[in-house]
C-alpha cells in the first residue's frame, strides 16, 4: 500500500540537512520513524482495549521491544549505577537479571500470568504484577533461599522502569567501569587459597547443608581470597564440588562440577577434610 504524505518544504530541507550532518540513510531513518509511530499508535489502542493487564504473549510488543532487548537495556542501565562510589559487581548484575527473567517460572508463582518479567515494559503494570507475586503463599520462602535476592531484583527492575518512564536515555547515563580489587596480572593459586576455598565449601554445603545462593557464596568467599578473579574462583568451586562428589559426599551447592582440577587443589581438599574431621 502506497500513501503520499505532504511535508512542508522547509521541514524537508531541515530533514535533509540533518541527514547530511549525521551521515544516515534517508530510507533507514524514515523506516524507523514509521515503525516508532506505529508502535505508539498501536499501544494507545491496545491499552484502551485490554484493561485486564499484561500477558506473556503481548506485553513486550506494547513498547516495540522484545524480552531480550529489555533485558539488555536493564543490564546496560544497571552497569551505569554506582554504590558507595563504586560500580556494581558484574556477578550481582547477572544474578538480578537472572531472577527477573526466570524466577516466575517457579511453581510458587503459578497464579502469576507471566513468566519472564522482562516482558513487562510498563511501570504501572509491573507494580500490579509485583503485588501478585508478593501475595503468593510461597513468596517469602522462595525469597529466603536467595537471602531476599528476589525482592532486591524486583526493586531494581522497578527502579529501571521508573528511569524508562521518565524519558531518560540509557545511552545518556554515566557508565563507570567496574574495577574489582584484584590484580590484573595472571594470579597463581597458593596452597592457602585452595585450602580456604575447600573449607568454606565443605562447611557451607556439606556440613551445614546450607542452600546459600552460589553468587552470594562467591561474593563472600572473594573477600577471603581477594586476588582471585571471579571466573577463576567459580571454576575452583566447581573443582571442589567434583572432588566432594567423588569422595562420596552429598552437597547442596547449586553449581555444576568441573573435573579438571589441579594436584594442589586435590591436596588442599584432603587437608580440609582432615581439618574438619570429615
Amino acid at each position: 500500500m502506497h500513501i503520499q504524505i505532504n511535508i512542508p518544504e522547509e521541514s524537508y530541507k531541515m530533514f535533509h540537512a540533518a541527514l547530511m550532518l549525521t551521515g544516515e540513510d534517508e530510507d533507514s531513518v524514515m523506516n524507523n520513524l514509521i515503525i516508532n509511530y506505529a508502535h505508539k499508535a498501536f499501544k494507545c489502542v491496545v491499552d484502551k482495549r485490554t484493561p485486564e493487564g499484561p500477558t506473556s504473549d503481548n506485553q513486550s510488543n506494547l513498547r516495540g521491544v522484545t524480552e531480550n532487548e529489555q533485558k539488555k537495556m536493564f543490564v546496560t542501565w544497571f552497569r551505569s549505577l554506582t554504590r558507595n562510589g563504586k560500580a556494581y559487581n558484574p556477578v550481582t548484575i547477572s544474578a538480578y537479571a537472572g531472577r527477573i527473567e526466570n524466577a516466575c517460572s517457579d511453581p510458587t508463582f503459578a497464579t502469576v500470568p507471566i513468566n519472564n518479567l522482562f516482558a513487562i515494559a510498563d511501570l504501572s503494570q509491573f507494580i500490579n504484577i509485583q503485588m501478585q507475586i508478593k501475595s503468593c503463599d510461597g513468596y517469602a520462602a522462595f525469597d529466603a533461599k536467595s537471602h531476599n535476592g528476589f525482592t532486591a531484583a524486583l526493586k531494581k527492575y522497578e527502579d529501571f522502569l521508573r528511569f524508562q518512564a521518565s524519558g531518560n536515555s540509557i545511552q545518556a547515563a554515566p557508565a563507570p567501569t567496574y574495577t574489582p580489587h584484584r590484580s590484573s596480572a595472571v594470579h597463581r593459586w597458593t596452597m592457602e587459597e585452595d585450602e580456604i576455598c575447600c573449607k568454606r565449601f565443605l562447611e557451607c554445603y556439606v556440613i551445614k547443608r546450607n542452600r546459600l545462593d552460589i553468587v552470594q557464596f562467591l561474593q563472600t568467599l572473594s573477600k577471603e581470597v581477594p586476588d582471585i578473579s571471579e571466573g577463576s574462583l567459580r571454576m575452583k568451586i566447581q573443582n571442589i564440588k567434583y572432588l566432594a562428589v567423588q569422595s562420596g559426599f552429598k552437597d547442596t551447592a547449586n553449581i555444576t562440577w568441573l573435573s579438571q582440577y589441579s594436584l594442589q587443589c586435590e591436596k588442599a581438599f584432603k587437608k580440609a577434610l582432615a581439618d574438619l574431621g570429615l
Side-chain angles (χ1 to χ4, degrees):
M1 179 176 66
H2 297 280
I3 299 175
Q4 183 175 353
I5 301 174
N6 294 320
I7 301 175
E9 184 178 355
E10 190 63 30
S11 297
Y12 194 65
K13 287 181 179 179
M14 292 176 65
F15 176 66
H16 264 278
L19 290 176
M20 292 177 65
L21 289 172
T22 61
E24 295 182 278
D25 177 69
E26 179 177 350
D27 289 339
S28 176
V29 173
M30 288 299 295
N31 285 336
N32 287 332
L33 289 172
I34 292 170
I35 291 171
N36 289 334
Y37 172 81
H39 282 313
K40 290 179 180 178
F42 279 118
K43 182 181 186 303
C44 291
V45 175
V46 173
D47 281 352
K48 292 177 182 178
R49 294 183 181 179
T50 57
E52 66 273 17
T55 66
S56 181
D57 294 330
N58 68 20
Q59 178 57 35
S60 61
N61 293 325
L62 297 184
R63 290 185 55 179
V65 295
T66 65
E67 295 167 2
N68 285 336
E69 288 171 339
Q70 185 73 351
K71 178 181 178 180
K72 289 178 181 178
M73 287 190 286
F74 170 75
V75 170
T76 299
W77 168 81
F78 205 159
R79 287 172 178 167
S80 75
L81 303 182
T82 59
R83 180 174 55 183
N84 298 326
K86 298 178 182 178
Y88 278 85
N89 189 318
V91 175
T92 300
I93 297 174
S94 178
Y96 276 41
R99 290 171 187 137
I100 295 166
E101 185 174 30
N102 302 313
C104 286
S105 297
D106 190 272
T108 302
F109 308 109
T111 59
V112 176
I114 195 165
N115 291 332
N116 185 348
L117 295 178
F118 283 120
I120 303 176
D122 180 82
L123 176 60
S124 62
Q125 291 169 333
F126 175 73
I127 290 175
N128 289 334
I129 286 292
Q130 187 176 200
M131 291 174 63
Q132 293 183 46
I133 291 171
K134 292 184 177 182
S135 67
C136 292
D137 292 338
Y139 172 78
F142 180 89
D143 193 36
K145 292 179 182 178
S146 62
H147 293 258
N148 301 324
F150 187 34
T151 295
L154 291 174
K155 177 63 170 64
K156 193 62 68 178
Y157 191 55
E158 181 180 332
D159 291 343
F160 168 66
L161 291 179
R162 290 185 187 281
F163 176 87
Q164 281 190 318
S166 68
N168 289 315
S169 169
I170 302 297
Q171 290 76 14
T177 303
Y178 174 69
T179 53
H181 301 292
R182 299 188 176 109
S183 171
S184 59
V186 177
H187 177 75
R188 185 178 179 84
W189 279 82
T190 66
M191 182 64 176
E192 181 183 5
E193 289 167 339
D194 272 316
E195 286 182 26
I196 290 173
C197 291
C198 289
K199 285 183 179 180
R200 298 299 173 262
F201 179 89
L202 292 169
E203 289 170 346
C204 182
Y205 295 114
V206 174
I207 297 176
K208 296 180 180 179
R209 307 287 296 171
N210 199 316
R211 295 190 178 276
L212 178 66
D213 183 84
I214 195 67
V215 173
Q216 292 183 309
F217 175 75
L218 291 173
Q219 289 175 342
T220 301
L221 184 59
S222 67
K223 296 176 182 178
E224 292 193 75
V225 285
D227 294 324
I228 309 299
S229 69
E230 294 163 10
S232 183
L233 188 58
R234 175 178 282 272
M235 290 176 64
K236 180 67 66 175
I237 296 305
Q238 290 177 290
N239 291 153
I240 296 170
K241 181 180 175 74
Y242 177 79
L243 290 170
V245 171
Q246 291 298 302
S247 300
F249 293 104
K250 293 184 178 180
D251 67 88
T252 55
N254 185 22
I255 190 173
T256 57
W257 52 261
L258 192 63
S259 60
Q260 290 79 15
Y261 57 87
S262 66
L263 292 176
Q264 178 175 287
C265 182
E266 183 179 25
K267 183 178 179 181
F269 182 77
K270 291 179 179 178
K271 187 175 186 304
L273 291 177
D275 291 347
L276 296 172
L278 297 174

